[in-house]
Amino acid sequence: MSVTADSGDGAEGDAGWDVDPDNDSVALVEALGRQLRMWREAVGLRAAEFGALVGYGENQVYKLESGKRIPRPEFLVKADEVLSAGGKIAAMADDVAQARYPKKVRELAKLEARAVELALYSNHNIHGLLQTEEFARALLRTRRPTLSSDELERAVAARVARQSIYKRSPGPELSFVQEEVTLRRPIGGAAVMRRQLERLLKVGQLPNVDVQVMPTCHASHPGTGGLIEVLKFEDGSGVGRSDGAFNGRLVSDPRQLRILELRYGIIRAEALTSQESLAFVEQVLGET
């Protein structure tokens, strides 16, 4: 899904994001576009007149109504007001906000929202659920091929949105193990890294969160295959994945999950304790 801004017709607002025809939200966006057109025509407004009232150009309005653009949530709120829709258009804002993200990201966010336990081992980067917005932006800028500015902001927004997991009550049990190198690689520069380390210290003090560090000096441990994630749900089921197992696929078979849990359990046991880890992060922060 490309998310380039459409401002070529001189409008003040940004109508939203381009629709990727391969995205499974196409039908939702097209249906919403038809509803917008019906509401507009019902109150006797031409596209240009409606656009002037919401701060968008005529061409942008036509693209939204034809389902070629994913509207911004704030546009839907304004459109609802202008068209006197009584909340029926604004009610779609949350669904549309999710539609801009790739299917894989939306599915991951849904799994994390259901999980009551999360076990997360990261060996290359600080885990996305721990990242500050500016660190995430700096990290995503290292991708090749390079993301466009709009693609970058969409990816950052998706990553930050997943951190609503910390607002759940009761919150899930979260266990993170970070390789030491992830704390020392200065992604974004010293200032960005300092704020990221401060974020780790803050999150690590939450009662339902454990942050541990695996020191580089540990020569042998079962995390050399790469990232491990295991999510457990209230009904006792779970899902997991690892770069070094099952071809990186998401698995739910109990036998496969046990393998991932075994590897994670050994990694966690070999890592510094939570208190030792927070002290270690403070030490690295002092050196940064």
Side-chain angles (χ1 to χ4, degrees):
M1 181 188 301
S2 175
V3 288
T4 54
D6 176 21
S7 55
D9 56 3
E12 294 180 3
D14 173 5
W17 303 272
D18 285 341
V19 176
D20 184 341
D22 295 326
N23 192 287
D24 62 351
S25 295
V26 170
L28 168 67
V29 177
E30 290 178 343
L32 176 59
R34 289 192 295 271
Q35 289 296 316
L36 284 170
R37 186 179 68 251
M38 290 171 62
W39 278 100
R40 174 178 63 77
E41 292 175 346
V43 297
L45 286 175
R46 294 192 297 271
E49 294 170 331
F50 172 62
L53 292 172
V54 295
Y56 285 4
E58 181 180 8
N59 186 45
Q60 291 176 312
V61 170
Y62 282 132
K63 286 186 176 182
L64 291 170
E65 292 182 348
S66 64
K68 294 179 180 178
R69 300 282 285 176
I70 301 173
R72 293 184 177 275
E74 54 267 28
F75 164 81
L76 295 179
V77 173
K78 182 65 175 177
D80 191 281
E81 176 186 336
V82 168
L83 299 173
S84 300
K88 294 181 176 64
I89 296 175
M92 296 294 294
D94 289 341
D95 292 323
V96 172
Q98 294 299 316
R100 61 181 158 157
Y101 304 139
K103 181 179 179 181
K104 181 178 179 181
V105 174
R106 283 184 278 118
E107 291 178 343
L108 175 59
K110 288 180 181 178
L111 290 174
E112 290 174 344
R114 287 178 49 214
V116 295
E117 297 179 28
L118 294 90
L120 310 159
Y121 166 67
S122 299
N123 66 333
H124 286 308
N125 303 304
I126 291 173
H127 194 277
L129 291 177
L130 294 170
Q131 293 173 13
T132 66
E133 182 175 338
E134 61 179 349
F135 181 90
R137 184 173 290 105
L139 181 63
L140 289 164
R141 281 198 179 109
T142 68
R143 284 191 178 178
R144 295 296 182 273
T146 305
L147 300 177
S148 72
S149 60
D150 290 313
E151 288 170 335
L152 174 64
E153 291 309 313
R154 175 174 63 95
V156 171
R159 187 159 299 183
V160 172
R162 288 168 51 204
Q163 296 182 11
S164 62
I165 194 170
Y166 295 112
K167 298 178 182 178
R168 284 172 49 189
S169 181
E173 294 297 319
L174 292 157
S175 170
F176 298 92
V177 180
Q178 291 286 152
E179 281 291 333
E180 177 183 344
V181 66
T182 66
L183 311 180
R184 296 189 179 278
R185 183 174 293 118
I187 300 293
V192 170
M193 199 65 205
R194 282 186 60 83
R195 287 187 285 272
Q196 176 59 67
L197 294 172
E198 290 168 352
R199 162 77 170 171
L200 279 179
L201 291 173
K202 182 177 180 179
V203 174
Q205 292 170 358
L206 295 174
N208 61 317
V209 178
D210 284 319
V211 175
Q212 295 177 252
V213 176
M214 172 64 79
T216 302
C217 62
H218 285 210
S220 177
H221 68 80
T224 53
L227 173 145
I228 297 174
E229 295 184 326
V230 179
L231 286 69
K232 292 293 190 67
F233 307 116
E234 193 170 10
D235 63 1
S237 64
V239 296
R241 69 185 180 101
S242 173
D243 292 340
F246 316 119
N247 297 315
R249 293 182 292 105
L250 195 69
V251 298
S252 58
D253 181 270
R255 292 170 297 178
Q256 296 173 322
L257 281 175
R258 278 198 295 272
I259 292 173
L260 299 184
E261 290 179 295
L262 173 64
R263 293 180 183 179
Y264 185 82
I266 297 174
I267 291 170
R268 190 176 185 186
E270 291 291 326
L272 300 177
T273 67
S274 296
Q275 290 302 313
E276 291 170 340
S277 296
L278 292 180
F280 188 88
V281 173
E282 288 183 338
Q283 175 187 328
V284 177
L285 177 60
E287 298 168 359
T288 303

